[in-house]
Amino acid sequence: MKAISLLVAATLASAVPTKHNAPGPFLTQVDNQTWIIGNELWNLTQGHQYGVQLFYKDHDCVGDAVGHYVSYNGAASDLSWNSASIVKKGSYQGTDYIDVMFTAVEGEMHWVIFSGLAGSYQYFVNRALPVLGEFRTLWRLDNTTFPRGKTDRRDEELPPLSDYIAANKVQDETWLRPDGKGYITKYDFTSWIRTQTYYGVYGDSFGSWYINPGKDYYNGNHLKQELMVSLT
Ligand SMILES: *[C@@H]1O[C@H](CO)[C@@H](O)[C@H](O)[C@H]1NC(C)=O
Ligand SMILES: *[C@@H]1O[C@H](CO)[C@@H](O)[C@H](O)[C@H]1NC(C)=O
Ligand SMILES: *[C@@H]1O[C@H](CO)[C@@H](O)[C@H](O)[C@H]1NC(C)=O
């Protein structure tokens, strides 16, 4: 049996210090296709496919966007969750955590949630993914809360959707800018994976970051690149 596990830590910026009096990490089942996970700082409402609401400091970071999902073959196959449970509960250096498992036909998505952490560790256990070129977890977040993108190569405002004019599309995911000065492509925020410290999107009050705590499990060599922030 193949078993790949991908480890990523997604975290929201401006964490407040750990509070041990508040309720710790939790999983709540709302109905057979809806769950809420989180801790005393944040919570995510997870539906059948999409993580649809992400509350942090009383602010919904998803808004009108799609939210969190796991997919392969590009956007062709999004995983559908059929159950959620806490598979491990413990304490690490005095901080409580839970490991929440969402199951899909293709495998298990885990969120390891610590008390007092404005984020979560994620890993996936492959049970039945086909042979493929891409597997990913991603967030589509509110574009008014997170107007800027950041990798180790770029740190700038994302072009507004209105800059992607159909008549200006010159080739695969590439558009002439409305002012005619240069191009925007879906892959502008691509970078080398091994040189990242963190990457994501942010605005004046909130940031959302992917932080890979280790890089030893990466495949490919030093030239391996990935699309880290996508505009469309
Ligand atoms: C989920 O719940 C609905 C009603 O609440 C029910 O009709 C449906 O059969 C349930 N689905 C599963 C997979 O249990
Ligand atoms: C999720 O966070 C929101 C905003 O902070 C809060 O109102 C709500 O009670 C939280 N939900 C759970 C289940 O903790
Ligand atoms: C933000 O997203 C909405 C909904 O998808 C879209 O209508 C709007 O144009 C976007 N704003 C910018 C600045 O791209």
Side-chain angles (χ1 to χ4, degrees):
M1 157 136 331
K2 293 170 287 180
I4 306 172
S5 72
L6 303 171
L7 181 67
V8 142
T11 188
L12 293 159
S14 54
V16 302
T18 308
K19 275 190 220 140
H20 287 291
N21 53 344
F26 66 88
L27 161 70
T28 308
Q29 177 142 11
V30 178
D31 60 34
N32 63 15
Q33 297 196 326
T34 315
W35 304 267
I36 304 176
I37 58 172
N39 62 18
E40 61 284 356
L41 299 179
W42 62 272
N43 63 68
L44 169 68
T45 302
Q46 175 66 61
H48 187 48
Q49 252 172 296
Y50 301 111
V52 290
Q53 250 183 351
L54 174 63
F55 278 112
Y56 180 58
K57 300 195 167 179
D58 289 331
H59 181 75
D60 178 10
C61 296
V62 172
D64 293 334
V66 166
H68 186 272
Y69 59 105
V70 179
S71 74
Y72 61 93
N73 289 340
S77 307
D78 293 349
L79 271 55
S80 292
W81 312 114
N82 42 45
S83 78
S85 57
I86 295 174
V87 292
K88 195 172 175 189
K89 225 178 196 160
S91 172
Y92 181 72
Q93 296 185 342
T95 305
D96 293 340
Y97 71 89
I98 57 173
D99 182 338
V100 178
M101 172 179 76
F102 288 93
T103 61
V105 170
E106 296 87 348
E108 302 165 4
M109 181 71 202
H110 291 254
W111 298 71
V112 180
I113 304 168
F114 281 78
S115 185
L117 186 67
S120 170
Y121 294 85
Q122 297 183 319
Y123 66 96
F124 185 78
V125 179
N126 177 19
R127 300 287 179 205
L129 281 170
V131 173
L132 43 77
E134 180 191 52
F135 173 81
R136 61 192 186 166
T137 72
L138 63 143
W139 279 107
R140 288 185 182 266
L141 296 167
D142 176 36
N143 63 7
T144 60
T145 309
F146 303 97
R148 297 176 65 90
K150 186 184 180 316
T151 66
D152 67 338
R153 293 183 62 232
R154 286 190 180 227
D155 180 354
E156 63 197 46
E157 189 102 6
L158 302 170
L161 213 53
S162 53
D163 277 8
Y164 296 76
I165 299 166
N168 285 353
K169 192 165 185 179
V170 292
Q171 61 172 36
D172 179 39
E173 302 303 313
T174 306
W175 293 260
L176 183 65
R177 289 186 187 275
D179 63 7
K181 294 179 185 155
Y183 297 89
I184 42 178
T185 90
K186 178 175 178 176
Y187 300 97
D188 285 343
F189 282 78
T190 299
S191 189
W192 289 277
I193 62 173
R194 283 178 175 72
T195 54
Q196 300 305 310
T197 45
Y198 67 101
Y199 58 90
V201 291
Y202 70 100
D204 290 338
S205 309
F206 297 89
S208 171
W209 311 110
Y210 278 94
I211 302 168
N212 296 82
K215 296 184 166 125
D216 48 311
Y217 65 93
Y218 284 2
N219 60 17
N221 64 15
H222 60 293
L223 296 178
K224 177 86 170 175
Q225 297 179 29
E226 194 52 81
L227 175 58
M228 292 169 177
V229 175
S230 170
L231 316 172
T232 58

